[in-house]
Amino acid sequence: MTIFNSVFTWFMKKRIHQIELFMKYPNEVQEEWFEQLVAGAESTEWGKKYGYKSIENLAQFKERVPLQTYDSLKPYIERMLKGEQNVLWPSEIRWFAKSSGTTNDRSKFIPVSEESLEECHFKGGKDMLTLYFNNRPNARIFTGKSLTLGGSHQVGQLNADTFFGDLSAVIMKNLPLWAEFYRTPHLDIALLENFEEKIEKMAYATKDVNVTSISGVPTWNILLFKRILEITGKNNLLEVWPNLELYFHGAVNFTPYREQFRKLIPKDDMYYLETYNASEGFFGIQDLEEPGDMLLMLDYGIFYEFLPLENLHDEHPQTLTLDEVQLNKNYALIISTNAGLWRYMIGDTIKFTSLSPFRIQITGRTKHFINAFGEELIIDNAERALAEACSQTGAIIRDYTAAPVYFSDNSSGAHEWLIEFEKPPAEFERFVDLLDETLRKVNSDYDAKRFKDMALRRPLVRPVQQNTFFNWMKTRGKIGGQHKVPRLANNREYVDSILELTTSVKKN
C-alpha cells in the first residue's frame, strides 16, 4: 500500500504538471493534436478520400471533410466490424463500444482503437484519481476497493478478431492489472447480461467488502444501494461501508439525485466528482471540489469543434474552435479522434462556464428538446426549473420526462411532465407554479409563448407510480450502464408509451 501510494503520488505530480500545461496553452495543444490526427490517418482509406496528405491547415480540413453523424460513417464502420483495417484509422481496431442508442432505438458500434483506450479512456480514469488526490491529499481510497456498476452487455464476438460490448464492458475487459486489483465485484458478476440478476449478485458480493469509492450512473446505483440496505437491514451506506469517501458520476445530471445521495450517504465531506465519458471518448472531469462544471480535457487524442446550436440545421454549418467560443452559449459538440471518428457530431450540447481554463457543462442533446411552439426548451432549462421547484417544496425526483401537448380547438398547447417522485412535494400546485415560473425566468422564448396562455398554458404535471420509469426502460431493453431516460422530446413518442404502460398496469 505504501509503495503504491508513493508511485501514484509521483505519477500524480507529473500529470498535474501536464494538465496545467494544456490549461495554460489550450489552443497550441489542440492544434498539435489536430496535426497529429490528420498526419496519422493520411494513408487510411478515409484519409486518401479527403486528401489528408495535402491538408495544411484547419480551414482546408473543414472545407474538405463534411460534418459526420453515425449514419454517414456507418458504411465504413460496418466494414471494420467485419475485420477490415486501415479504413478510418491506421492502427488495428478489434474493439467496438456498443452505445446505448438513446437518440433512437438502433445500436451504434463505436470503434475503439488501442490509442483511444490508452490515451483517452484509461488516461481519463487515471486523471479522475489525479484530480481527486490533488484536491484531497489525505485521501485513502486505495485502502479499499472501488465498486463499479457498469453496463448490462456481455462482451460479444463478431469474428475471430473483433469484439464488442458497452463501453464499461470494453474498458473492464482491457483494464491494467493494478486497476483490476482495486475493483469490485469480480468480472463474472460485473458483466452479467441480466441487470436485475446483476444487482442482486452485486449486492451480496459487495456488502461485506471495504468499499471506499463508487462509480456509475446515479439512476442505476440507487437501485443497487437500496437493495444492499434491504439485505443488510442498515439505515445508510456508511453503516455498510464506513470508509466510503468518493463517488464518480456521469451520464446524467446529478442535481435531481443529490438529495437522495445525501440521505443514502450522510457524510458532510463525501466527495462527488463528475465526469463526461461517452462511448466516443472521455471529454471532461470536474477539477474543482465545488460542483457545477468540468475541465475540458485537451490532450486525449481528440480535436474539438463547436457548432452554435442556432446553426445546427444550416446547409453548410460553420464550426468554431476553442479560441472562438463564448461563455454560456449552447454548442453541439463535434470531435475528431484517434479512433477514426472525423468531424463527428456526438449528439450532446454543451456550454462554456469558463474560458480560462476551458470548463463546460452538458446542457442536453441535439435531439432532446421541446420546440413545438417556438419555446426552444432544452434539458438545462428543465433541470434548473425542477431543482428550484424541488428546493422550495421539499420534493425529491427519481426520474422524469416531458413532451408537448398540441393545440386543440378549445385550448392552447402545453408541456406534459411525467414525474416519478422519491418524495412528493409538500404543495403539489406550488411545485407546478415554481416549475413554470423558473422556466419563464431561464428561457425568454418559453416566457414569450406563455404570455396570457396564448401559445402555451401552465404545465401539466402527472406524478407516476414508483418504478414506472424502470419498468418502461426494461420493456425497451435499456436498463443499466449508460442507458438514460429521455428527458425531453419534441413529440409524444416516449410520454404516450409510458402512459400506455401505466394504463395497462392499472387494468391488470
Side-chain angles (χ1 to χ4, degrees):
M1 177 63 197
T2 304
I3 294 174
F4 184 85
N5 267 342
S6 299
V7 172
F8 185 78
T9 300
W10 171 83
F11 168 81
M12 184 194 77
K13 288 178 180 177
K14 180 183 176 184
R15 181 57 188 152
I16 284 293
H17 176 65
Q18 294 170 342
I19 291 172
E20 288 171 346
L21 277 177
F22 79 63
M23 291 168 73
K24 189 174 181 180
Y25 302 106
N27 299 312
E28 291 83 351
V29 169
Q30 276 287 280
E31 184 177 349
E32 185 177 329
W33 268 113
F34 166 71
E35 292 171 356
Q36 284 188 41
L37 291 169
V38 171
E42 64 182 26
S43 296
T44 63
E45 182 177 322
W46 181 273
K48 290 176 180 177
K49 177 180 179 179
Y50 290 106
Y52 275 24
K53 199 165 188 176
S54 61
I55 288 178
E56 296 180 353
N57 52 52
L58 180 58
Q60 285 183 339
F61 179 69
K62 288 183 178 184
E63 187 179 314
R64 293 184 191 182
V65 185
L67 293 180
Q68 304 295 316
T69 63
Y70 185 79
D71 286 339
S72 64
L73 287 183
K74 188 176 179 181
Y76 298 91
I77 292 174
E78 286 182 335
R79 289 166 52 198
M80 295 163 68
L81 287 166
K82 295 173 182 175
E84 283 193 52
Q85 299 295 338
N86 206 38
V87 179
L88 293 173
W89 187 248
S91 65
E92 184 180 25
I93 293 181
R94 301 174 61 228
W95 285 92
F96 293 82
K98 185 179 180 182
S99 82
S100 58
T102 53
T103 303
N104 47 54
D105 290 332
R106 66 182 182 275
S107 295
K108 300 177 182 179
F109 292 87
I110 305 299
V112 181
S113 66
E114 188 72 28
E115 294 91 334
S116 65
L117 264 180
E118 291 291 337
E119 297 173 9
C120 185
H121 293 293
F122 288 165
K123 197 172 184 179
K126 286 182 280 191
D127 281 352
M128 285 160 35
L129 295 171
T130 295
L131 290 166
Y132 173 60
F133 272 85
N134 191 54
N135 290 336
R136 288 274 181 95
N138 298 320
R140 294 179 53 81
I141 59 171
F142 289 122
T143 61
K145 298 277 188 177
S146 175
L147 188 157
T148 305
L149 177 57
S152 55
H153 290 296
Q154 282 276 11
V155 169
Q157 192 164 357
L158 293 166
N159 54 56
D161 298 312
T162 308
F163 305 87
F164 71 91
D166 73 1
L167 179 64
S168 57
V170 172
I171 288 175
M172 285 183 194
K173 288 295 284 186
N174 288 279
L175 278 176
L177 286 175
W178 71 265
E180 180 59 27
F181 177 77
Y182 282 101
R183 197 193 55 73
T184 190
H186 192 272
L187 281 180
D188 290 347
I189 295 174
L191 295 179
L192 277 172
E193 182 75 24
N194 185 305
F195 186 76
E196 290 167 293
E197 179 187 1
K198 175 160 65 177
I199 287 287
E200 192 71 9
K201 289 191 173 180
M202 281 190 80
Y204 279 99
T206 60
K207 65 183 178 65
D208 298 316
V209 174
N210 178 27
V211 172
T212 53
S213 67
I214 299 169
S215 61
V217 179
T219 318
W220 311 122
N221 276 124
I222 286 173
L223 294 176
L224 173 63
F225 298 161
K226 290 187 173 181
R227 183 58 186 139
I228 287 173
L229 295 181
E230 287 174 4
I231 291 169
T232 60
K234 304 296 186 182
N235 295 309
N236 62 66
L237 290 181
L238 295 179
E239 294 179 5
V240 181
W241 301 315
N243 298 315
L244 182 62
E245 61 179 76
L246 171 63
Y247 177 52
F248 298 108
H249 62 90
V252 297
N253 189 327
F254 192 59
T255 301
Y257 302 96
R258 195 170 295 280
E259 190 58 38
Q260 292 181 67
F261 271 77
R262 283 198 189 103
K263 291 185 176 180
L264 288 164
I265 311 171
K267 184 177 182 179
D268 291 339
D269 62 347
M270 182 68 184
Y271 199 109
Y272 295 93
L273 194 152
E274 184 177 7
T275 66
Y276 183 9
N277 189 17
S279 300
E280 297 86 355
F282 205 129
F283 309 125
I285 304 174
Q286 178 185 329
D287 65 315
L288 303 177
E289 189 157 353
E290 286 300 311
D293 50 19
M294 292 171 282
L295 183 68
L296 186 63
M297 308 305 287
L298 301 178
D299 64 349
Y300 282 8
I302 299 171
F303 177 72
Y304 294 101
E305 298 174 66
F306 308 92
L307 176 59
L309 210 53
E310 63 266 26
N311 303 125
L312 185 63
H313 301 294
D314 290 358
E315 188 175 352
H316 299 291
Q318 296 300 307
T319 61
L320 307 177
T321 48
L322 278 176
D323 57 329
E324 299 172 305
V325 298
Q326 300 174 26
L327 286 174
N328 298 312
K329 187 170 182 177
N330 282 297
Y331 298 100
L333 190 61
I334 315 293
I335 58 172
S336 295
T337 78
N338 54 5
L341 299 178
W342 297 105
R343 305 201 75 202
Y344 183 88
M345 189 181 304
I346 69 169
D348 288 341
T349 61
I350 59 104
K351 69 178 179 182
F352 286 90
T353 57
S354 166
L355 300 182
S356 182
F358 287 98
R359 293 195 179 96
I360 60 170
Q361 287 179 346
I362 305 168
T363 56
R365 299 280 295 170
T366 55
K367 294 189 178 181
H368 287 187
F369 57 86
I370 305 179
N371 194 31
F373 313 101
E375 67 274 44
E376 297 188 12
L377 185 74
I378 62 173
I379 294 173
D380 182 58
N381 302 153
E383 300 206 317
R384 288 170 65 182
L386 287 170
E388 179 65 20
C390 285
S391 173
Q392 296 293 326
T393 64
I396 300 174
I397 289 175
R398 180 182 291 182
D399 258 316
Y400 76 91
T401 193
V405 177
Y406 300 112
F407 285 111
S408 67
D409 292 338
N410 301 317
S411 64
S412 54
H415 291 167
E416 183 170 13
W417 299 73
L418 306 185
I419 301 179
E420 184 176 325
F421 289 101
E422 183 78 17
K423 178 185 175 185
E427 302 171 73
F428 182 78
E429 295 304 324
R430 183 164 178 257
F431 176 92
V432 179
D433 285 335
L434 286 164
L435 171 66
D436 186 37
E437 289 166 11
T438 310
L439 286 174
R440 297 185 73 160
K441 287 178 185 175
V442 301
N443 184 325
S444 59
D445 292 310
Y446 177 89
D447 183 49
K449 302 305 179 292
R450 282 284 290 116
F451 181 71
K452 293 187 177 180
D453 291 352
M454 291 177 66
L456 274 176
R457 52 198 157 95
R458 185 172 179 258
L460 304 173
V461 178
R462 294 181 188 265
V464 296
Q465 294 179 346
Q466 298 289 296
N467 297 318
T468 291
F469 283 95
F470 177 84
N471 292 331
W472 178 67
M473 292 288 280
K474 185 178 176 182
T475 64
R476 304 172 74 226
K478 292 182 179 295
I479 56 175
Q482 292 188 317
H483 293 299
K484 303 178 281 288
V485 172
R487 297 310 196 192
L488 303 177
N490 207 34
N491 58 57
R492 294 189 56 81
E493 175 188 355
Y494 303 130
V495 162
D496 286 344
S497 174
I498 295 168
L499 290 174
E500 184 179 340
L501 178 67
T502 58
T503 302
S504 65
V505 170
K506 287 178 182 177
K507 287 180 180 178
N508 294 333

